Every structure is written in C-alpha cells, then in structure tokens.
Coordinates of all heavy atoms in Angstrom, one line a residue:
G1 N -29.1 -78.5 36.2 CA -30.0 -78.8 35.1 C -29.9 -77.7 34.1 O -29.2 -76.7 34.2
K2 N -31.1 -77.7 33.4 CA -31.2 -76.7 32.3 C -31.2 -75.2 32.9 O -30.8 -74.3 32.3 CB -32.3 -76.9 31.4 CG -33.7 -76.7 31.9 CD -34.7 -77.0 31.0 CE -36.1 -76.8 31.7 NZ -36.3 -75.5 32.4
S3 N -32.0 -75.0 33.9 CA -32.2 -73.7 34.5 C -30.8 -73.2 35.1 O -30.5 -72.0 35.0 CB -33.2 -73.7 35.6 OG -34.4 -74.1 35.1
T4 N -30.0 -74.1 35.8 CA -28.7 -73.6 36.2 C -27.9 -73.2 35.0 O -27.2 -72.2 35.1 CB -28.0 -74.9 36.8 OG1 -29.0 -75.2 38.1 CG2 -26.7 -74.5 37.4
E5 N -27.9 -74.0 34.0 CA -27.0 -73.6 32.8 C -27.5 -72.3 32.1 O -26.7 -71.6 31.7 CB -27.1 -74.7 31.7 CG -26.3 -76.0 32.2 CD -25.0 -75.7 32.5 OE1 -24.2 -75.0 31.9 OE2 -24.4 -76.2 33.6
A6 N -28.9 -72.1 32.1 CA -29.5 -70.8 31.6 C -28.9 -69.7 32.4 O -28.6 -68.7 31.8 CB -30.9 -70.9 31.5
R7 N -29.0 -69.8 33.7 CA -28.5 -68.8 34.5 C -27.2 -68.4 34.4 O -26.6 -67.3 34.3 CB -28.8 -69.1 36.1 CG -30.0 -68.8 36.4 CD -30.4 -68.9 38.0 NE -29.9 -70.3 38.5 CZ -30.7 -71.3 38.6 NH1 -32.0 -71.2 38.2 NH2 -30.4 -72.4 39.1
K8 N -26.2 -69.5 34.3 CA -24.8 -69.2 33.9 C -24.5 -68.6 32.8 O -23.7 -67.6 32.6 CB -24.1 -70.6 33.9 CG -24.0 -71.2 35.4 CD -23.2 -72.6 35.2 CE -23.2 -73.4 36.3 NZ -22.5 -74.8 36.2
L9 N -25.4 -69.0 31.6 CA -25.0 -68.3 30.4 C -25.6 -66.9 30.3 O -25.0 -66.0 29.8 CB -25.9 -69.3 29.3 CG -25.8 -68.7 27.8 CD1 -24.4 -68.6 27.3 CD2 -26.7 -69.5 26.8
A10 N -26.7 -66.7 31.1 CA -27.3 -65.3 31.2 C -26.2 -64.3 31.7 O -26.2 -63.2 31.2 CB -28.6 -65.4 31.9
E11 N -25.6 -64.8 32.8 CA -24.5 -64.0 33.5 C -23.5 -63.7 32.5 O -22.9 -62.6 32.5 CB -24.1 -64.7 34.7 CG -25.0 -64.6 35.9 CD -24.6 -65.4 37.2 OE1 -23.3 -65.5 37.2 OE2 -25.4 -65.9 38.0
K12 N -23.1 -64.8 31.7 CA -22.0 -64.6 30.8 C -22.3 -63.7 29.7 O -21.3 -62.9 29.3 CB -21.5 -66.0 30.3 CG -20.3 -66.0 29.5 CD -20.1 -67.4 29.0 CE -18.7 -67.7 28.2 NZ -18.3 -69.0 28.0
I13 N -23.4 -63.7 29.2 CA -23.7 -62.8 27.9 C -24.8 -61.6 28.3 O -25.2 -61.0 27.5 CB -24.4 -63.7 26.8 CG1 -25.6 -64.4 27.1 CG2 -23.4 -64.8 26.5 CD1 -26.4 -65.1 26.0
D14 N -25.0 -61.5 29.5 CA -25.8 -60.4 30.0 C -27.2 -60.6 29.3 O -27.6 -59.6 28.6 CB -25.3 -59.0 29.7 CG -26.1 -57.9 30.4 OD1 -26.7 -58.2 31.4 OD2 -26.1 -56.8 29.8
A15 N -27.9 -61.6 29.6 CA -29.2 -62.1 29.0 C -30.3 -62.0 30.0 O -30.1 -62.2 31.1 CB -29.1 -63.4 28.3
I16 N -31.5 -61.8 29.5 CA -32.7 -62.0 30.2 C -33.2 -63.4 30.1 O -33.2 -63.9 29.0 CB -33.8 -61.0 29.8 CG1 -33.3 -59.6 30.0 CG2 -35.1 -61.4 30.4 CD1 -34.3 -58.7 29.3
I17 N -33.6 -64.1 31.1 CA -34.2 -65.4 31.0 C -35.7 -65.3 31.1 O -36.2 -64.7 31.9 CB -33.7 -66.5 32.2 CG1 -32.2 -66.5 32.0 CG2 -34.4 -67.7 32.1 CD1 -31.6 -67.1 33.4
I18 N -36.4 -66.1 30.2 CA -37.7 -66.0 29.9 C -38.3 -67.6 30.2 O -37.7 -68.4 29.5 CB -38.5 -65.5 28.8 CG1 -38.1 -64.0 28.7 CG2 -39.9 -65.8 28.8 CD1 -38.6 -63.3 27.5
N19 N -39.1 -67.9 31.3 CA -39.4 -69.2 31.6 C -40.9 -69.3 31.6 O -41.5 -68.6 32.4 CB -38.7 -69.6 32.9 CG -39.2 -70.9 33.4 OD1 -40.2 -71.2 33.8 ND2 -38.1 -72.0 33.2
Q20 N -41.4 -70.1 30.9 CA -42.9 -70.4 30.9 C -43.5 -70.7 32.1 O -44.6 -70.3 32.6 CB -43.4 -71.3 29.7 CG -43.1 -70.8 28.4 CD -43.6 -71.7 27.3 OE1 -43.6 -71.4 26.2 NE2 -44.0 -72.9 27.6
D21 N -42.9 -71.6 33.0 CA -43.3 -72.0 34.2 C -43.4 -70.8 35.1 O -44.4 -70.7 36.0 CB -42.5 -73.2 34.9 CG -42.6 -74.5 34.2 OD1 -43.7 -74.6 33.5 OD2 -41.8 -75.3 34.2
S22 N -42.5 -69.9 35.1 CA -42.3 -68.8 36.0 C -43.5 -67.8 35.5 O -44.2 -67.2 36.6 CB -41.0 -68.0 35.7 OG -39.9 -68.8 36.2
I23 N -43.8 -67.8 34.3 CA -45.0 -66.9 33.9 C -46.2 -67.6 34.4 O -47.0 -66.8 35.1 CB -44.9 -66.8 32.4 CG1 -43.8 -65.9 32.0 CG2 -46.4 -66.0 31.9 CD1 -43.7 -65.9 30.3
R24 N -46.4 -68.8 34.4 CA -47.5 -69.5 35.0 C -47.8 -69.2 36.4 O -48.8 -69.0 36.9 CB -47.5 -71.0 34.7 CG -47.7 -71.4 33.3 CD -47.8 -72.9 33.0 NE -47.8 -73.3 31.8 CZ -46.7 -73.7 31.0 NH1 -45.5 -73.9 31.7 NH2 -46.9 -73.9 29.8
L25 N -46.6 -69.2 37.3 CA -46.6 -69.0 38.6 C -47.0 -67.4 38.9 O -47.7 -67.2 39.8 CB -45.3 -69.2 39.3 CG -44.8 -70.6 39.4 CD1 -43.4 -70.7 39.9 CD2 -45.7 -71.4 40.4
E26 N -46.5 -66.6 38.0 CA -46.9 -65.1 38.1 C -48.4 -65.0 37.9 O -49.1 -64.1 38.5 CB -46.2 -64.4 37.0 CG -44.6 -64.2 37.3 CD -44.0 -63.5 36.3 OE1 -44.6 -62.8 35.5 OE2 -42.7 -63.7 36.1
M27 N -49.0 -65.8 37.1 CA -50.4 -65.8 36.7 C -51.1 -66.5 37.9 O -52.5 -66.5 37.9 CB -50.7 -66.5 35.4 CG -50.0 -65.8 34.2 SD -50.3 -66.8 32.6 CE -52.1 -66.8 32.5
G28 N -50.5 -67.0 38.9 CA -51.2 -67.6 39.9 C -51.6 -69.1 39.9 O -52.2 -69.7 40.7
F29 N -50.8 -69.8 39.0 CA -51.1 -71.1 38.7 C -49.9 -72.0 39.2 O -48.8 -71.8 38.7 CB -51.5 -71.5 37.3 CG -52.6 -70.8 36.9 CD1 -52.6 -69.6 36.1 CD2 -54.0 -71.2 37.2 CE1 -53.8 -69.0 35.7 CE2 -55.1 -70.6 36.9 CZ -54.9 -69.4 36.2
T30 N -50.0 -72.9 40.2 CA -49.0 -73.7 40.6 C -48.9 -75.0 40.1 O -47.9 -75.9 40.4 CB -48.9 -73.7 42.2 OG1 -50.1 -74.3 42.6 CG2 -48.8 -72.3 42.7
G31 N -49.9 -75.5 39.3 CA -49.9 -76.8 38.9 C -50.9 -76.8 37.8 O -51.2 -75.8 37.3
F32 N -51.1 -77.9 37.1 CA -52.0 -78.0 36.0 C -53.5 -78.4 36.2 O -54.2 -78.7 35.4 CB -51.4 -78.9 34.9 CG -50.1 -78.4 34.3 CD1 -48.8 -78.7 34.8 CD2 -50.2 -77.5 33.3 CE1 -47.6 -78.2 34.3 CE2 -49.1 -76.9 32.7 CZ -47.8 -77.2 33.2
D33 N -53.8 -78.6 37.4 CA -55.1 -79.1 37.8 C -56.2 -78.1 37.3 O -57.3 -78.4 36.9 CB -55.3 -79.1 39.4 CG -54.5 -80.3 39.9 OD1 -54.0 -81.1 39.2 OD2 -54.1 -80.3 41.1
N34 N -55.9 -76.8 37.4 CA -57.0 -75.8 36.9 C -56.3 -75.0 35.7 O -56.8 -73.8 35.5 CB -57.3 -74.8 38.1 CG -56.1 -74.1 38.5 OD1 -54.9 -74.5 38.2 ND2 -56.2 -73.1 39.5
W35 N -55.6 -75.6 34.9 CA -55.1 -75.0 33.7 C -55.8 -75.4 32.5 O -56.4 -76.5 32.4 CB -53.6 -75.5 33.6 CG -52.8 -74.6 32.6 CD1 -52.4 -74.9 31.4 CD2 -52.3 -73.2 32.8 NE1 -51.6 -73.9 30.8 CE2 -51.6 -72.9 31.6 CE3 -52.4 -72.5 33.8 CZ2 -51.1 -71.6 31.5 CZ3 -51.9 -71.2 33.7 CH2 -51.3 -70.9 32.6
D36 N -55.9 -74.6 31.6 CA -56.7 -74.9 30.4 C -56.0 -74.2 29.2 O -55.1 -73.4 29.3 CB -58.3 -74.6 30.4 CG -58.5 -73.1 30.7 OD1 -57.7 -72.2 30.0 OD2 -59.4 -72.6 31.4
S37 N -56.6 -74.5 28.0 CA -55.9 -73.9 26.7 C -56.1 -72.4 26.7 O -55.1 -71.8 26.1 CB -56.8 -74.6 25.5 OG -57.9 -74.3 25.4
K38 N -57.3 -71.9 27.3 CA -57.3 -70.4 27.2 C -56.0 -69.7 28.1 O -55.6 -68.7 27.6 CB -58.5 -70.0 27.7 CG -58.9 -68.4 27.7 CD -60.3 -68.2 28.2 CE -60.5 -66.7 28.2 NZ -61.8 -66.4 28.8
K39 N -55.9 -70.4 29.1 CA -54.9 -69.7 30.1 C -53.5 -69.9 29.4 O -52.5 -69.1 29.6 CB -54.9 -70.6 31.5 CG -56.2 -70.0 32.2 CD -56.3 -70.9 33.5 CE -57.6 -70.6 34.1 NZ -58.0 -71.6 35.1
E40 N -53.3 -71.1 28.8 CA -52.0 -71.3 28.1 C -51.8 -70.4 27.0 O -50.7 -69.9 26.8 CB -52.0 -72.8 27.4 CG -50.7 -73.1 26.8 CD -49.6 -73.5 27.9 OE1 -49.8 -73.4 29.0 OE2 -48.5 -73.8 27.4
K41 N -52.7 -70.0 26.2 CA -52.7 -69.0 25.3 C -52.4 -67.7 25.8 O -51.6 -66.8 25.2 CB -54.0 -69.0 24.3 CG -54.2 -70.0 23.4 CD -55.6 -69.9 22.7 CE -55.7 -71.2 21.7 NZ -57.0 -71.2 21.1
Q42 N -52.9 -67.3 27.0 CA -52.6 -66.1 27.7 C -51.1 -66.0 28.0 O -50.4 -65.1 27.9 CB -53.5 -65.9 28.8 CG -53.2 -64.6 29.5 CD -54.2 -64.4 30.8 OE1 -54.7 -65.3 31.1 NE2 -54.0 -63.3 31.4
M43 N -50.6 -67.2 28.6 CA -49.3 -67.3 29.1 C -48.3 -67.1 27.8 O -47.5 -66.4 27.9 CB -49.1 -68.6 29.7 CG -47.6 -68.8 30.2 SD -46.4 -69.3 29.0 CE -47.1 -70.7 28.4
I44 N -48.7 -67.7 26.7 CA -47.8 -67.6 25.4 C -47.9 -66.2 25.0 O -46.8 -65.6 24.5 CB -48.4 -68.6 24.4 CG1 -48.0 -70.1 24.8 CG2 -47.8 -68.3 23.0 CD1 -48.7 -71.1 24.0
K45 N -48.9 -65.5 25.1 CA -49.0 -64.1 24.6 C -47.9 -63.3 25.5 O -47.2 -62.5 25.0 CB -50.4 -63.6 24.8 CG -50.5 -62.1 24.4 CD -52.0 -61.7 24.4 CE -52.0 -60.2 24.0 NZ -53.1 -59.4 24.6
I46 N -48.1 -63.6 26.9 CA -47.2 -62.8 27.8 C -45.8 -63.1 27.4 O -44.9 -62.2 27.4 CB -47.5 -63.1 29.2 CG1 -48.8 -62.6 29.6 CG2 -46.3 -62.6 30.2 CD1 -49.3 -63.1 30.9
R47 N -45.4 -64.4 27.2 CA -44.2 -64.7 26.9 C -43.7 -64.1 25.7 O -42.4 -63.6 25.6 CB -44.0 -66.4 26.6 CG -42.6 -66.8 26.3 CD -42.7 -68.1 25.6 NE -43.3 -68.0 24.2 CZ -43.7 -69.1 23.5 NH1 -43.6 -70.2 24.0 NH2 -44.3 -68.8 22.3
N48 N -44.4 -64.2 24.6 CA -44.0 -63.5 23.2 C -43.8 -62.1 23.4 O -42.8 -61.5 22.9 CB -45.2 -63.8 22.2 CG -45.2 -65.3 21.8 OD1 -44.2 -66.1 22.3 ND2 -46.1 -65.7 21.1
E49 N -44.7 -61.3 24.1 CA -44.5 -59.8 24.4 C -43.1 -59.7 25.2 O -42.5 -58.7 24.8 CB -45.7 -59.5 25.3 CG -47.0 -59.3 24.5 CD -48.1 -58.9 25.4 OE1 -48.1 -58.9 26.7 OE2 -49.3 -58.7 24.9
R50 N -42.9 -60.6 26.1 CA -41.7 -60.3 26.8 C -40.3 -60.4 25.8 O -39.4 -59.6 26.0 CB -41.4 -61.2 28.1 CG -42.5 -60.8 29.2 CD -42.3 -61.7 30.3 NE -43.3 -61.4 31.2 CZ -43.5 -61.9 32.5 NH1 -42.7 -62.9 32.8 NH2 -44.5 -61.5 33.4
F51 N -40.4 -61.4 25.1 CA -39.4 -61.6 24.2 C -39.2 -60.5 23.2 O -38.2 -59.9 22.9 CB -39.6 -62.9 23.3 CG -39.0 -64.1 23.9 CD1 -39.6 -65.0 24.7 CD2 -37.7 -64.5 23.6 CE1 -39.0 -66.2 25.3 CE2 -37.0 -65.6 24.2 CZ -37.7 -66.4 25.0
H52 N -40.3 -60.1 22.5 CA -40.4 -58.9 21.7 C -39.9 -57.6 22.5 O -39.0 -57.0 21.9 CB -41.7 -58.6 21.2 CG -42.3 -59.6 20.2 ND1 -41.8 -59.6 18.9 CD2 -43.2 -60.6 20.1 CE1 -42.4 -60.4 18.1 NE2 -43.1 -61.1 19.0
N53 N -40.3 -57.3 23.6 CA -39.8 -56.2 24.4 C -38.4 -56.3 24.6 O -37.7 -55.2 24.4 CB -40.7 -56.0 25.7 CG -42.1 -55.6 25.3 OD1 -42.4 -55.0 24.3 ND2 -42.9 -55.9 26.3
A54 N -37.9 -57.4 25.0 CA -36.4 -57.4 25.4 C -35.6 -57.3 24.1 O -34.6 -56.6 24.1 CB -36.3 -58.9 26.1
M55 N -36.0 -58.0 23.0 CA -35.2 -57.9 21.9 C -35.3 -56.5 21.2 O -34.3 -56.0 20.8 CB -35.7 -59.1 20.9 CG -35.3 -60.5 21.4 SD -35.6 -61.7 20.2 CE -34.1 -61.5 19.3
N56 N -36.4 -55.9 21.3 CA -36.6 -54.5 20.7 C -35.8 -53.5 21.5 O -35.4 -52.6 21.1 CB -38.0 -54.0 20.7 CG -38.8 -54.7 19.7 OD1 -38.3 -55.2 18.6 ND2 -40.2 -54.8 19.8
N57 N -35.4 -54.0 22.8 CA -34.5 -53.2 23.6 C -33.1 -53.6 23.7 O -32.3 -53.1 24.4 CB -35.0 -53.0 25.0 CG -36.2 -52.2 25.1 OD1 -36.2 -51.0 24.8 ND2 -37.3 -52.9 25.6
G58 N -32.7 -54.3 22.6 CA -31.3 -54.9 22.4 C -30.8 -55.7 23.4 O -29.6 -55.9 23.4
K59 N -31.7 -56.5 24.1 CA -31.3 -57.5 25.0 C -31.1 -58.9 24.4 O -31.7 -59.2 23.5 CB -32.2 -57.6 26.1 CG -32.6 -56.3 26.8 CD -31.4 -55.9 27.7 CE -31.9 -54.6 28.5 NZ -30.8 -54.0 29.4
N60 N -30.2 -59.5 25.1 CA -30.0 -61.0 24.6 C -31.2 -61.7 25.6 O -31.5 -61.3 26.7 CB -28.7 -61.6 25.1 CG -27.6 -60.9 24.3 OD1 -27.6 -60.9 23.1 ND2 -26.5 -60.6 24.9
V61 N -31.7 -62.8 24.9 CA -32.7 -63.5 25.6 C -32.7 -65.1 25.6 O -32.2 -65.5 24.4 CB -34.2 -63.3 25.0 CG1 -35.3 -63.9 25.7 CG2 -34.4 -61.7 24.8
I62 N -32.7 -65.7 26.7 CA -32.8 -67.0 26.8 C -34.2 -67.7 27.1 O -34.8 -67.3 28.2 CB -31.7 -67.5 27.9 CG1 -30.3 -67.1 27.5 CG2 -31.8 -69.0 28.2 CD1 -29.3 -67.3 28.6
S63 N -34.5 -68.7 26.4 CA -35.7 -69.3 26.7 C -35.4 -70.6 27.7 O -34.8 -71.6 27.1 CB -36.5 -69.8 25.5 OG -37.6 -70.6 25.7
D64 N -35.7 -70.6 28.8 CA -35.5 -71.7 29.7 C -36.8 -72.5 29.8 O -37.6 -72.0 30.7 CB -35.1 -71.0 31.1 CG -34.9 -72.2 32.2 OD1 -34.7 -73.3 31.8 OD2 -34.9 -71.8 33.3
D65 N -36.9 -73.4 29.0 CA -38.2 -74.1 28.7 C -38.0 -75.6 28.4 O -37.0 -75.8 27.6 CB -39.0 -73.3 27.7 CG -40.4 -73.9 27.5 OD1 -40.9 -74.5 28.4 OD2 -41.1 -73.4 26.6
T66 N -38.9 -76.3 28.9 CA -38.8 -77.8 28.4 C -39.8 -77.8 27.1 O -40.4 -76.9 26.7 CB -39.3 -78.7 29.5 OG1 -40.5 -78.2 29.9 CG2 -38.4 -78.7 30.6
N67 N -39.9 -79.0 26.6 CA -40.7 -79.2 25.3 C -40.3 -78.2 24.2 O -41.3 -77.6 23.7 CB -42.1 -79.2 25.7 CG -42.5 -80.2 26.9 OD1 -41.9 -81.3 26.7 ND2 -43.3 -79.8 27.9
F68 N -39.2 -78.2 23.9 CA -38.7 -77.1 23.0 C -38.8 -77.8 21.5 O -37.7 -78.2 21.0 CB -37.4 -76.4 23.2 CG -37.0 -75.1 22.7 CD1 -37.4 -74.1 23.5 CD2 -36.5 -74.9 21.6 CE1 -37.2 -72.8 23.0 CE2 -36.2 -73.7 21.0 CZ -36.7 -72.6 21.9
G69 N -39.9 -77.8 21.0 CA -40.1 -78.5 19.6 C -39.7 -77.6 18.5 O -39.4 -76.4 18.6
E70 N -39.8 -78.2 17.3 CA -39.5 -77.5 16.0 C -40.3 -76.2 15.7 O -39.6 -75.0 15.5 CB -39.7 -78.4 14.8 CG -39.2 -77.8 13.5 CD -39.3 -78.9 12.4 OE1 -39.3 -80.1 12.7 OE2 -39.4 -78.4 11.3
K71 N -41.5 -76.2 16.2 CA -42.3 -75.0 16.0 C -41.9 -74.0 16.8 O -41.8 -72.8 16.3 CB -43.8 -75.4 16.3 CG -44.8 -74.2 16.0 CD -46.2 -74.8 16.4 CE -47.2 -73.6 16.2 NZ -48.5 -74.0 16.5
K72 N -41.5 -74.2 18.2 CA -41.1 -73.1 18.9 C -39.7 -72.7 18.5 O -39.4 -71.4 18.7 CB -41.1 -73.7 20.4 CG -41.0 -72.6 21.4 CD -40.9 -73.0 22.8 CE -42.2 -73.6 23.3 NZ -42.3 -74.1 24.6
E73 N -38.9 -73.6 18.2 CA -37.5 -73.3 17.8 C -37.7 -72.3 16.5 O -37.0 -71.2 16.4 CB -36.8 -74.5 17.4 CG -35.3 -74.1 16.9 CD -34.5 -75.3 16.6 OE1 -34.9 -76.5 16.8 OE2 -33.3 -75.0 15.9
T74 N -38.5 -72.5 15.5 CA -38.7 -71.7 14.4 C -39.2 -70.5 14.7 O -38.7 -69.4 14.3 CB -39.8 -72.5 13.4 OG1 -39.1 -73.7 13.0 CG2 -39.9 -71.6 12.2
F75 N -40.1 -70.3 15.7 CA -40.7 -69.1 16.1 C -39.6 -68.2 16.7 O -39.5 -67.0 16.4 CB -41.7 -69.3 17.2 CG -42.1 -68.0 17.9 CD1 -43.0 -67.1 17.4 CD2 -41.6 -67.6 19.1 CE1 -43.3 -66.0 18.0 CE2 -41.9 -66.6 19.8 CZ -42.9 -65.6 19.2
F76 N -38.7 -68.7 17.6 CA -37.6 -68.0 18.2 C -36.5 -67.6 17.3 O -36.0 -66.5 17.3 CB -37.1 -68.7 19.4 CG -38.1 -68.6 20.5 CD1 -38.5 -69.9 21.2 CD2 -38.5 -67.5 21.0 CE1 -39.3 -69.9 22.2 CE2 -39.5 -67.5 22.2 CZ -39.8 -68.8 22.7
R77 N -36.3 -68.4 16.3 CA -35.3 -68.0 15.2 C -35.7 -66.9 14.4 O -34.9 -66.0 14.1 CB -35.0 -69.3 14.4 CG -34.0 -70.3 15.2 CD -33.6 -71.4 14.0 NE -32.8 -72.5 14.8 CZ -31.7 -72.4 15.2 NH1 -30.8 -71.4 14.9 NH2 -31.1 -73.4 15.8
E78 N -37.0 -66.9 14.1 CA -37.5 -65.9 13.2 C -37.6 -64.6 14.0 O -37.2 -63.5 13.5 CB -39.1 -66.3 12.8 CG -39.0 -67.4 11.7 CD -38.2 -66.9 10.5 OE1 -38.4 -65.8 9.9 OE2 -37.4 -67.8 9.9
L79 N -37.9 -64.7 15.3 CA -38.0 -63.5 16.1 C -36.7 -62.9 16.3 O -36.6 -61.6 16.4 CB -38.5 -63.9 17.5 CG -38.6 -62.7 18.6 CD1 -39.8 -61.8 18.0 CD2 -39.1 -63.5 19.9
A80 N -35.6 -63.7 16.3 CA -34.3 -63.3 16.5 C -33.7 -62.6 15.3 O -32.7 -61.8 15.4 CB -33.3 -64.4 16.9
K81 N -34.2 -62.7 14.1 CA -33.7 -62.1 12.8 C -33.9 -60.6 12.9 O -34.8 -60.1 13.4 CB -34.4 -62.6 11.7 CG -34.0 -63.9 11.3 CD -34.7 -64.5 10.2 CE -34.2 -66.0 9.9 NZ -34.8 -66.5 8.7

C-alpha cells in the first residue's frame, strides 16, 4: 500500500517519512474513541513542526497520509518552496 511505497521512495531519495497516524500513536492515542478537535490541532502542530524542521535542515520529506485533500496539498507545496 501507500506506506510501503513511501518507505521505498524514502530509501531511494533519502527522505524522512511523516505520518499523522504515527504521531497520534506517539501522543498515546490508538483509536478515535477519545480523540477530539483539540488533540487533532495539537497533532497537526507537531506534524507541521516536523516538516519545517526537516526541510530547514535540507531533508527530503514524504507525507504518508490518507485524506490528502487540496488544502493539505497546497500547504505542503507552499512549505516546499
């Protein structure tokens, strides 16, 4: 699936993979039963900080994520400039 392809590409281009589900797990959440918009905003802040830090350090970054809509695509394209 997408994560397998992301790992293959990351190896090929020496990239860091950032995955929102992994960040949620790091935050201690394994499902959406106790998830809310405040926690989602915190997760997004962590994700964005990781992207900024990696790119500021000259790293290639892959977003391994589902629900990749136009708003998120625009955000990452602007970040990559």
Side-chain angles (χ1 to χ4, degrees):
K2 68 174 181 56
S3 295
T4 300
E5 292 302 316
R7 284 191 296 275
K8 287 179 187 178
L9 181 59
E11 288 178 18
K12 187 175 182 178
I13 66 170
D14 190 30
I16 295 170
I17 297 172
I18 298 178
N19 178 287
Q20 292 184 172
D21 290 334
S22 296
I23 295 170
R24 288 183 187 103
L25 287 173
E26 291 171 25
M27 293 172 68
F29 301 101
T30 56
F32 289 97
D33 293 340
N34 57 353
W35 196 251
D36 61 34
S37 62
K38 184 177 176 183
K39 293 171 186 162
E40 184 73 5
K41 286 179 184 175
Q42 181 182 7
M43 183 279 302
I44 290 170
K45 181 180 178 198
I46 292 167
R47 180 203 67 196
N48 292 351
E49 287 172 353
R50 289 182 184 183
F51 267 96
H52 284 287
N53 290 338
M55 295 188 78
N56 285 338
N57 286 302
K59 303 289 184 184
N60 293 315
V61 183
I62 296 172
S63 176
D64 178 18
D65 191 12
T66 56
N67 303 317
F68 207 88
E70 185 177 335
K71 183 178 177 182
K72 194 180 290 185
E73 180 180 351
T74 300
F75 168 78
F76 288 121
R77 286 187 184 279
E78 289 299 315
L79 183 61
K81 289 183 179 179

